[in-house]
Amino acid sequence: MSSTELPETRTAAAPPTAPVRAVRVADGEVLRSVALPGLTLTVRARPGNRPGLPPALYVHGLGGSSLNWSDMMPLLADHVDGEAVDLPGFGDSPPPDDGNYSLTGHARAVIRLLDSGGRGPVHLIGNSLGGAVATRVAAVRPDLVRTLTLVSPALPELRAQRNAWPTALLALPGVAPLFSRLTKDWTPEQRVRGVLSLCYGDPGRVTDEGLRHAVEEMERRLELPYFWDAMARSSRGIVDAYTLGGQHGLWRQAERVLAPTLLVYGGRDQLVSYRMARRAAAAFRGSRLLTLPDAGHVAMMEYPETVATAVRELIEACEERGTDNSGGS
């Protein structure tokens, strides 16, 4: 899954299918577009506070984007040179040419991005779907991962949370168009409030400004002609990954991860069960576990300071030990 393709940083106008409204960019962030054969990825950069800091890559979850990391990235700018990627079909990244939204397809996109930019090994940080993607990347390409942080990773559960069932249903053929029609009268704010109630332990923690930004982003996404297709196909990719066994199974790959790992689980997570924390801690060798009883599915957005502190401690411990999983490369 290695790639030697050279990236092309694009500054030209967006493709014709892109909406007119621009993606929000927080103070201190820079957006860039990396074009690879058959794939274009938008990367949100938060440069480190000083030159020479090790690189970090943040990977969002299903339906999210690089914006999910905007609150936490500046809190780690004293330790890493951060970048957050929009996975294919999400955020400001267009769909992949081959239409591959499988977990392997998303992992391959991350690997190609890291290979093309020569930024590895990185401190790799993923949430939900992004946590499953990061797990696979760390397992198959240990040379690219310095440390691994997983926030509510979407790893297979025998008894999935009831609120996670719609994700599985969305993977069924024809369900996404049907849901789109049934919810066509929902306002962007109604959709956002629904997502917040599902993903946050306490939606009241979202500020008025944060809600306004989320509604604006939802309005932008609903203008994308591929919005529902990307959601449905990525949902199908998660379901398919849950059924894989053998060496390609996510739990088996978790056992193969060599990088020092931090696991973050929320006690009020309605999508990934809190009870999975113990199994994950046993699967990832020598891992650290941070449990936040009041957090939901996106702890890095609800409690960015707490999660950032734990990541910082992981990085510092790694630096003290001089941990290197690159095999000398």
Side-chain angles (χ1 to χ4, degrees):
M1 296 176 69
S2 177
S3 170
T4 57
E5 296 143 341
L6 295 177
E8 174 192 353
T9 299
R10 303 193 313 172
T11 56
T17 56
V20 174
R21 70 181 73 214
V23 176
R24 184 172 64 86
V25 182
D27 291 341
E29 295 179 346
V30 178
L31 286 187
R32 66 186 179 94
S33 185
V34 178
L36 297 165
L39 185 68
T40 300
L41 298 173
T42 295
V43 176
R44 182 179 303 269
R46 167 70 70 166
N49 291 343
R50 62 183 185 277
L53 290 176
L57 183 68
Y58 302 82
V59 188
H60 63 81
L62 179 68
S65 75
S66 58
L67 281 166
N68 292 18
W69 303 100
S70 286
D71 287 339
M72 200 175 89
M73 284 201 292
L75 302 178
L76 289 171
D78 58 338
H79 274 63
V80 299
D81 182 59
E83 290 189 344
V85 62
D86 285 331
L87 291 174
F90 293 95
D92 201 38
S93 292
D97 287 358
D98 61 4
N100 186 351
Y101 289 101
S102 68
L103 188 68
T104 296
H106 285 313
R108 185 178 295 120
V110 170
I111 288 172
R112 291 172 65 190
L113 174 66
L114 292 174
D115 274 339
S116 67
R119 280 177 60 84
V122 300
H123 296 289
L124 187 59
I125 304 170
N127 167 238
S128 191
L129 165 64
V133 169
T135 297
R136 180 154 292 177
V137 172
V140 302
R141 288 293 303 275
D143 59 303
L144 293 178
V145 182
R146 196 180 301 247
T147 66
L148 180 65
T149 296
L150 306 175
V151 182
S152 295
L155 301 175
E157 299 184 44
L158 291 178
R159 290 182 293 121
Q161 297 278 77
R162 181 172 297 177
N163 286 313
W165 292 356
T167 298
L169 291 175
L170 192 62
L172 297 176
V175 171
L178 174 62
F179 187 75
S180 176
R181 291 195 298 272
L182 292 175
T183 62
K184 63 182 177 62
D185 294 328
W186 291 12
T187 67
E189 182 171 341
Q190 287 175 317
R191 294 177 187 273
V192 167
R193 290 190 181 277
V195 171
L196 294 179
S197 66
L198 184 63
C199 292
Y200 274 67
D202 178 11
R205 295 181 63 88
V206 180
T207 65
D208 291 341
E209 181 182 32
L211 177 62
R212 177 171 55 81
H213 287 158
V215 171
E216 291 172 353
E217 175 62 10
M218 179 61 73
E219 290 172 343
R220 187 191 70 82
R221 292 187 192 186
L222 290 172
E223 295 175 351
L224 298 170
Y226 50 83
F227 172 81
W228 287 110
D229 187 57
M231 287 288 293
R233 289 174 182 263
S234 291
S235 297
R236 194 172 307 144
I238 294 175
V239 173
D240 290 346
Y242 274 30
T243 64
L244 284 177
Q247 295 299 319
H248 298 291
L250 282 170
W251 286 113
R252 182 68 63 85
Q253 292 191 323
E255 295 171 352
R256 291 167 50 191
V257 171
L258 301 177
T261 300
L262 169 66
L263 302 165
V264 183
Y265 281 83
R268 296 183 178 179
D269 194 332
Q270 300 181 62
L271 297 172
V272 171
S273 175
Y274 190 64
R275 68 177 179 267
M276 299 304 294
R278 181 176 298 180
R279 180 177 181 182
F284 292 89
R285 65 186 76 181
S287 59
R288 300 174 174 219
L289 176 62
L290 172 64
T291 57
L292 300 173
D294 295 326
H297 191 60
V298 287
M300 75 287 184
M301 299 175 73
E302 282 192 272
Y303 298 94
E305 296 87 356
T306 304
V307 177
T309 296
V311 174
R312 189 179 299 112
E313 291 172 352
L314 175 71
I315 292 173
E316 290 174 348
C318 173
E319 292 172 345
E320 289 174 3
R321 292 195 304 266
T323 303
D324 182 6
N325 302 306
S326 63
S329 64

